[in-house]
Amino acid sequence: MTPAGAPGGTTGRSRPPGGGDGAAGSDEVAPPPLSLFALESARARVEWLSLVVSQRLLDPPRGSGEPVLVLPGLLAGDEATEPLRRILGGLGHVAHGWGLGVNVGPTAHILDGLVARVLALSEAARAERHDGRVQLVGISLGGILARELARQVPDHVGRVVTIGSPFRIVDHRQSRLAGVFQSLSHLHVSRERFDIFRQDALPQHVPTTAVYSRSDGVVSWRACVEDPGTEAHESVEVHSSHTGMPYNPATVYVVADRLAGDPAHWQPFRAPTRLRHLYPAP
């Protein structure tokens, strides 16, 4: 989970994490190496600069006015998602902040507020002759909450894109910020209402894309990927830090590409030839 927030191959297509890296074992509940955690801030700055330099060269697909709700990561608010929302707005989407202040986790205020926010955006979209489905983009902890929204109001959600979101977390040790999250647990709803360790499968008709990085310095990448082979639910790997992932050029292209597609006619992500170098080979 981020204090503010990936499979392509040689073909740039989405792929499940496979091989020895995905085997069961102690590595699955280990946090990222401390060396990666220490480099988070420096790597994030490089990724931000890379986006500034390369943004015009990405040339991602454009949207057609669909509402997009962007959810921030742990201890972040709308100011942290503003750069990504600005980019999406420039590509023809109507990108919204969540308007719920700082993300302190699954409080009643946040869970109830998100449902109300999606329903309001959905109603407004229908009034403008869109289908009324809201696209959700969640950064780290925000992605876990976005998936919960898709479970609660599936008929109002078009698709979900998560960025470095540990929605498959099974142990606090998989996050370097577990202590921060636990320190806020007295604010959270009961585990009967929302249990971060027990995330049910999403409705099949809500496509999902999980962007992750094996060099994530905050959360274990194994907690950030979809079940392999699940139709309309994919994982796309990028080379990125955790904190800089929302501003990484490869991530930005994936998000824009996924949001521009029709959820009713889902196809797996495939990077264009000119950008395949941005996505790790199998």
Side-chain angles (χ1 to χ4, degrees), residues 136 138 244 270:
L136 302 179
R270 184 183 181 93

Side-chain angles (χ1 to χ4, degrees), residues 2-5 69-86 96-105 109-110 114 117 137-142 145 184 243 246-247:
T2 176
L69 181 61
V70 186
L71 283 62
L74 179 64
L75 296 185
D78 285 334
E79 73 287 343
T81 67
E82 193 276 335
L84 180 57
R85 287 187 283 119
R86 185 173 64 249
H96 301 269
W98 76 340
L100 295 170
V102 174
N103 188 350
V104 293
H109 168 70
I110 285 176
L114 281 173
R117 187 83 165 114
V137 178
I139 300 169
S140 197
L141 176 58
L145 298 176
L184 299 167
T243 310
Y247 320 118

Side-chain angles (χ1 to χ4, degrees), residues 67 116-134 156:
R117 187 83 165 114
V118 167
L119 294 179
L121 290 175
S122 176
E123 182 178 354
R126 284 197 175 93
E128 296 178 5
R129 299 183 181 180
H130 292 287
D131 68 2
R133 294 183 184 271
V134 181
H156 298 274

Side-chain angles (χ1 to χ4, degrees), residues 46-178:
V46 171
E47 284 155 352
W48 171 252
L49 291 173
S50 297
L51 179 61
V52 171
V53 171
S54 65
Q55 186 173 336
R56 292 185 179 181
L57 301 177
L58 291 177
D59 191 27
R62 297 183 59 84
S64 55
E66 304 86 352
V68 179
L69 181 61
V70 186
L71 283 62
L74 179 64
L75 296 185
D78 285 334
E79 73 287 343
T81 67
E82 193 276 335
L84 180 57
R85 287 187 283 119
R86 185 173 64 249
I87 291 172
L88 295 177
L91 291 172
H93 301 282
V94 182
H96 301 269
W98 76 340
L100 295 170
V102 174
N103 188 350
V104 293
T107 66
H109 168 70
I110 285 176
L111 294 176
D112 294 341
L114 281 173
V115 171
R117 187 83 165 114
V118 167
L119 294 179
L121 290 175
S122 176
E123 182 178 354
R126 284 197 175 93
E128 296 178 5
R129 299 183 181 180
H130 292 287
D131 68 2
R133 294 183 184 271
V134 181
Q135 314 265 51
L136 302 179
V137 178
I139 300 169
S140 197
L141 176 58
I144 297 177
L145 298 176
R147 291 171 65 91
E148 178 64 16
L149 267 176
R151 281 186 284 270
Q152 291 194 27
V153 287
D155 293 338
H156 298 274
V157 174
R159 71 166 71 244
V160 176
V161 180
T162 60
I163 301 174
S165 299
F167 54 85
R168 290 171 59 86
I169 192 168
V170 297
D171 191 291
H172 277 306
R173 289 174 293 174
Q174 290 177 293
S175 171
R176 286 284 177 188
L177 296 182

Side-chain angles (χ1 to χ4, degrees), residues 26-27 29-34 172-176 216-220:
S26 60
D27 283 351
V29 295
L34 191 57
H172 277 306
R173 289 174 293 174
Q174 290 177 293
S175 171
R176 286 284 177 188
D216 189 313
V218 175
V219 297
S220 168

